[in-house]
Structures are given as C-alpha cells and as structure tokens.
Amino acid sequence: MNKVILQPDENSVNERLDKFIADNTENISRSYAAKLCDDGMVVSCDNVLAKKYKIKGGEKIEISLPEPKNAEAVPEDIPLNIVYEDNDVIIINKPQGMVVHPAAGNETGTLVNGLLHHCELSAINGVIRPGIVHRIDKDTSGLIIAAKNNEAHLALAQQWKEQKPLRKYVALVNGNIKEDKGTINKPIARHPNDRKKMAIVYGGREAITHYRVLERYGQYTLVECILETGRTHQIRVHMASIGHSIVGDKTYGLKKEKFNTDGQLLHAQTIGFIHPSTGEKMEFSSELPVYFQDILKKLAKHI
C-alpha cells in the first residue's frame, strides 16, 4: 500500500475533500478520489474522512493507495483528432482533460485506449504505455506522437533522449512579462515535501526553457515556450518560478483565477522530428483550442 500525505493550507478551507485530492495529486481523478474516500482509504488523525468532508486547513490528510494491478490497456472506440499517420508514426492533437495512458483512477478513456482501437502500436513500453514516446500532461492540450512499431519507437526515443525534436508550446501566463524573450535555466526534481509535484531543486535534472512574448493583455501575457529539455511539468514549474504561472494551473498557479478553466492554458502547438524511416525532417502545428481562443478574444477587448 502506497501512502500520500497532503497538508492543506488556508487557501483550501471549505473545499470538498474529493475535489481537493484530485486537484493536488497527479493521476488521481475526482471520481477515483471519491472512491478512495468511500473505501475508507482517506484518514486524518485516525479518523476516516468522507468525500464530502470540508477542508479545515492545517490538518494532515493521509491517503492509502492500493498497489497497482497488473493491467493491460484495452482498445476503446474513442474519437481521435489525427493530424498525421503513416506506417511508422501517428500524431494526435490531444484535447485538454485526456490522460495519455492508463494509471490509477484512469484505467480507461485514455489516448492509448483510443490508439489501440485505431492501429497497432509498438511494444517498447509494455501493455500499459504501448507506442508512447513522450507525454504531455492531462490538462495540457496539443500534439503528441506515438510509434506504431518497435523500430520507429527506438529511433524516436533516441531523438528525445538527445533533445533533438522541436517542441513549441503556447501558454497564457499571469502577469505582464517585461522582457520580450528570455531563457529559464533551473534544475527540476520532485518536490521535497510533495512527491506529486515538481519543483526547482538544486542538484535536480537540468531543465532549460526558452520563451518569447507573443502578445500582452494587461495583467496577462501570451508566450511561446520552446523546450530544450523535457522534464515533467517543466514549462509549468519554470514559468511559476519567475512569477508568471500559467492561467488555470491548479498545481503551480494562483489559488483564485479570473477565468473558470478546466486546466492550464498550455497548448503543445508545434512538434518537429526526423522521420524514423525516411530521415525526412517533419514539422506539424495545430491551432489553439476554441476555449483558449475565446479567452484571448475577451482579453483583447479590454486592452
């Protein structure tokens, strides 16, 4: 049994327990958080907490997570926005809210489930993450590539290891960034007190993000971020570290937001790589999701 400890602060007072757990842990959905509460797996001071429990602030909440089962991702008929496909690779424009591969609380409805229904995938990552070369967060939208055979997967994985692929993101961040462009070079590792989060940690893995301002909207800035490295939550952690957290980021962002979003306004807009079979340079881009564009239109009216 794995243990997760959460210690809510005053900003979470009166928030429902199942929502608090989902917002402050990675790969645990609200429905799974509710189930854990119903099963008596969430306690504070040896008292079992109900899913409707309202956070008081300052209490220590202990969550017992069952050991993961030996599972296998099953094919599901899920609509996919396919940007490109051939015999070796498939590129999907992933919507916000979709998990990339099955995990505790998200065994179905993931990108992998949908891909398995559509095509064959490489077996490099086993039965849970077949074909997955890289990941983007559940609440980040945008382009992701999967490999359809082992040879393509190994070739692409080597490119990612050498940090060769082009990965451009667009994000709306809080605050007005004064500089037109900049580079954030700060090491990232697991948060020392919260293993579900990442943080700037001396001695962590090298992490480099290049950014440039696309548009300024008063107290908000639209930026393009290019990854030189690819650490977990890299852009989210880096932008928060310079005082410009991503709008809608429930983990690293502001506690109170002007806009009601389902997640961070971060979109993996462009991906470029060398085709594993032909050696051709390939690059694909996608438009910002409609909800993202709508927020930018609202902001533009008040400049």
Side-chain angles (χ1 to χ4, degrees), residues 5-217:
I5 305 296
L6 297 177
Q7 292 183 291
D9 57 26
E10 65 276 5
N11 292 312
S12 299
V13 171
N14 290 326
E15 189 171 342
R16 244 181 83 132
L17 179 61
D18 53 356
K19 183 179 185 300
F20 172 78
I21 292 173
D23 288 346
N24 290 276
T25 56
E26 189 176 358
N27 293 328
I28 294 183
S29 64
R30 184 166 177 175
S31 60
Y32 186 53
K35 183 179 185 304
L36 289 170
C37 294
D38 291 341
D39 292 344
M41 308 300 279
V42 183
V43 301
S44 181
C45 295
D46 295 327
N47 295 317
V48 175
L49 301 181
K51 60 189 175 187
K52 295 182 180 180
Y53 170 83
K54 294 297 180 67
I55 299 295
K56 294 180 173 58
E59 67 265 56
K60 181 179 179 181
I61 297 172
E62 184 176 296
I63 308 168
S64 297
L65 295 174
E67 292 294 336
K69 300 176 182 178
N70 290 324
E72 180 175 350
V74 296
E76 293 180 64
D77 189 2
I78 300 172
L80 299 174
N81 185 354
I82 300 172
V83 175
Y84 174 81
E85 181 179 13
D86 61 26
N87 292 330
D88 296 302
V89 300
I90 181 168
I91 298 172
I92 304 296
N93 190 13
K94 186 188 82 67
Q96 184 184 66
M98 175 180 273
V99 176
V100 171
H101 61 78
N106 292 291
E107 288 84 4
T108 61
T110 73
L111 178 63
V112 163
N113 296 114
L115 285 171
L116 286 172
H117 181 271
H118 176 78
C119 64
E120 291 187 3
L121 295 173
S122 81
I124 296 295
N125 284 334
V127 296
I128 291 296
R129 296 186 291 126
I132 299 302
V133 178
H134 68 113
R135 295 184 295 174
I136 54 178
D137 299 334
K138 172 187 174 183
D139 289 329
T140 297
S141 59
L143 300 182
I144 182 170
I145 184 171
K148 298 174 74 171
N149 56 68
N150 291 355
E151 292 77 14
H153 195 136
L154 290 171
L156 289 169
Q158 185 62 32
Q159 291 183 47
W160 255 261
K161 181 180 179 181
E162 296 173 358
Q163 309 293 345
K164 288 182 177 180
L166 173 64
R167 291 158 293 171
K168 288 183 181 180
Y169 289 70
V170 172
L172 183 67
V173 302
N174 290 294
N176 191 327
I177 300 179
K178 295 179 181 180
E179 306 83 10
D180 289 335
K181 60 182 179 179
T183 295
I184 306 170
N185 186 344
K186 299 180 181 181
I188 291 177
R190 287 286 169 189
H191 193 288
N193 300 320
D194 186 348
R195 302 301 292 174
K196 291 292 183 179
K197 296 172 64 174
M198 308 302 289
I200 305 299
V201 178
Y202 178 77
R205 300 183 70 186
E206 181 184 44
I208 302 173
T209 304
H210 306 284
Y211 68 87
R212 71 181 181 94
V213 172
L214 299 176
E215 193 73 52
R216 292 185 173 89
Y217 300 95

